[in-house]
Amino acid sequence: AKHPSTAPAKSAPQSAETALTNDVLAGLKKHPKELSPVWFYDELGSFLFDNICELPEYYITRTELQIMHGHALEMAHHIGPDAAVIEFGSGTSLKTRLLLDRLESPLAYVPVDISREHLFTAAGALAKDYPNLHIVPVCADFTQTFELPQFVRQAQRRVVYFPGSTLGNFARSQARELLVRMRDLVGGNGAILIGIDLRKDPSILERAYDDSAGVTAEFNINALRHVNRELGADFDLDAFDHLAVWVEEESRIEMHLVSKRDQVVHLGGDEIRFRRGEHLRTEYCHKYTVESFSELAATAGLAVKRVWMDPNKQFSVQLLEP
Ligand code: AVI
């Protein structure tokens, strides 16, 4: 047993599963109901996300890569020599390679990811192709405070790389907090290179998050499959519809799951009732203008030094400094 049965129930430490269950239940008891987007990313979800990145409607990955191909050299000049590059949520690091290829004598590359397996697989692959680069993987949840290896903490120029527009998935106050944490990590002489998706015609956005092949719908539904498997819930995967909706006042796409009928879902000894047509919100995807992002950055004590965009101004990669 994880916990001694003799311990009084009141002071018994929570198991990780109980903590997760309570967290999910708290979201399901809100009005409107919500579920954290972290539930998208099990093995199938990560595979589906990789597929999303290749979809014709999902312009984000393709456009950011185009910007990196065109401007990575200039970005590298701004970063300068001997930098330690710390990547938040390092995935397959395709974009990272474009940056690393251009940097002058980088001191170290520090991929930070919560998934130990992905982290070490990607770091291993990179180590083969960059034998002279010091690669220091850190397994951590980048939304929480974490320690960098001492020689990275002492590097003169520390740069956080955060591509993919993942900042858009955070509520504004959390996005600000994350920027503050990045600023603290890089220090007064540091920089942040960040991918930010830009506001555009809502019909383009809604299609990007509701593709004709139905991959994003499957990605959304998979969050329920993940909760069923990890926490023993009994969500009926066929009883929810995928919805992607543009919310103008918040300047964001929201992904929802809409209950097809009145139903009851069981989780951790609790019963959660859904009415027919009731929404469960699973994700925010904020879209910024160059101005609105610069305002957000300023609230975190960061100034925008450079903005690189594709010719159609769909996406941006921005260099921030304290
Ligand atoms: C990971 N993140 C930047 C993606 C996005 O576009 O906000 C997640 C995603 N959700 C649906 N499709 C892709």
Side-chain angles (χ1 to χ4, degrees), residues 201-321:
D201 185 334
S203 67
I204 297 176
L205 289 167
E206 286 181 345
R207 263 184 272 134
Y209 290 90
D210 189 9
D211 61 280
S212 53
V215 184
T216 311
E218 192 50 41
F219 175 72
N220 199 4
I221 295 279
N222 185 57
L224 302 182
R225 186 182 284 120
H226 191 187
V227 173
N228 282 352
R229 193 184 58 243
E230 273 322 298
L231 306 179
D234 61 355
F235 279 103
D236 177 353
L237 307 186
D238 294 323
F240 291 86
D241 281 322
H242 165 69
L243 178 76
V245 59
W246 172 249
V247 182
E248 174 66 31
E249 317 80 79
E250 304 288 350
S251 193
R252 69 187 176 211
I253 284 281
E254 292 187 8
M255 296 228 302
H256 294 190
L257 288 164
V258 184
S259 180
K260 289 187 190 173
R261 49 178 165 79
D262 288 347
Q263 54 179 320
V264 180
V265 174
H266 299 91
L267 169 63
D270 244 299
E271 282 190 348
I272 303 294
R273 285 174 192 283
F274 281 85
R275 280 173 287 101
R276 177 164 177 250
E278 189 172 351
H279 291 212
L280 166 61
R281 202 205 59 227
T282 50
E283 190 181 41
Y284 293 143
C285 312
H286 291 90
K287 306 300 167 185
Y288 294 94
T289 61
V290 170
E291 295 73 28
S292 71
F293 182 68
S294 141
E295 281 164 23
L296 174 67
T299 67
L302 291 160
V304 177
K305 294 289 167 178
R306 278 298 309 260
V307 182
W308 293 274
M309 286 182 278
D310 56 296
N312 296 324
K313 298 188 167 36
Q314 301 233 60
F315 195 90
S316 67
V317 179
Q318 311 205 14
L319 186 78
L320 318 177
E321 283 178 359

Side-chain angles (χ1 to χ4, degrees), residues 36 51 79 95 99 136 167 184 243 289 293 298 308:
S36 163
N51 280 288
I79 290 171
K95 294 160 208 154
L99 184 65
V136 197
L167 192 79
D184 291 347
L243 178 76
T289 61
F293 182 68
W308 293 274

Side-chain angles (χ1 to χ4, degrees), residues 93-112:
S93 34
L94 187 55
K95 294 160 208 154
T96 319
R97 285 168 183 259
L98 294 174
L99 184 65
L100 291 174
D101 286 343
R102 303 296 191 191
L103 283 175
E104 191 187 332
S105 56
L107 181 81
Y109 170 59
V110 187
V112 182

Side-chain angles (χ1 to χ4, degrees), residues 41 49 52 58 60 164-166 169 209 216 219 255 283 285:
Y41 300 100
F49 180 66
I52 287 174
Y58 195 75
I60 292 187
S165 195
T166 304
N169 297 131
Y209 290 90
T216 311
F219 175 72
M255 296 228 302
E283 190 181 41
C285 312

